Amino acid sequence: MDDFSDLMAANRAFADDFQLGGFDGVAHAGVAIVTCMDSRIDPLRMLGLQHGDAKIFRNPGGRVTSAALEALVLGVHLLGVERILVVPHTRCAMAANTEAELRVKVGESAGVDASWQQFHVIADQVAALEEDVRKVRSHPLIPDTVKVGGFIYHVDTGLLEQKL
Ligand SMILES: [Zn+2]
């Protein structure tokens, strides 16, 4: 239980002046973001958004996976999403390594064979972004009224660059 005591203490301080009780789960700015798990990305702040404004789906690389599509469909139909941003980023480990390199690195860290583990590395980030945006735009349960954009987030400047 001690493993999380620092975080639990921080949570008690957070809850002490908690103002958001009763808040609904709708995306108040009508925004959904698919982006990477990278700790350099602060999805709300980079768009000037606040708590409650957006649905955020994260995974390694910021890919539009089947799970991401599930989240987007729910977001669009039940949670007020009208605009979707797909946001991979510069210096992403998923685009800087090959599948074989990641398997070697993870295998060395784990001390066991990792050659069976899939990581879905990205060979060409812009091509992957085009494919991902197309998946969202052509999804039969995501209507054309929903705006879908593809962007690269530059982790060293904080700027978003729209590609699609
Ligand atoms: Zn990344």
Side-chain angles (χ1 to χ4, degrees), residues 86-98:
V86 183
V87 188
H89 66 98
T90 55
R91 295 207 283 125
C92 183
M94 299 306 289
N97 291 277
T98 65

Side-chain angles (χ1 to χ4, degrees), residues 58-81:
R58 304 185 74 158
N59 59 27
R63 298 304 310 275
V64 176
T65 58
S66 56
L69 287 168
E70 286 175 28
L72 294 174
V73 167
L74 289 169
V76 165
H77 290 284
L78 304 181
L79 301 167
V81 169

Side-chain angles (χ1 to χ4, degrees), residues 15 28-29 33 61 70 100 107 113 120-121 123 132 149 152 156 162:
H28 280 241
I33 306 158
E70 286 175 28
D113 174 49
H120 300 101
V121 298
D132 283 351
I152 301 274
D156 294 305
Q162 184 160 15

Side-chain angles (χ1 to χ4, degrees), residues 35-38 40-41 59-62 88-95 125:
T35 193
C36 186
M37 66 192 273
D38 195 292
R40 291 168 290 189
I41 301 172
N59 59 27
H89 66 98
T90 55
R91 295 207 283 125
C92 183
M94 299 306 289
Q125 228 177 5

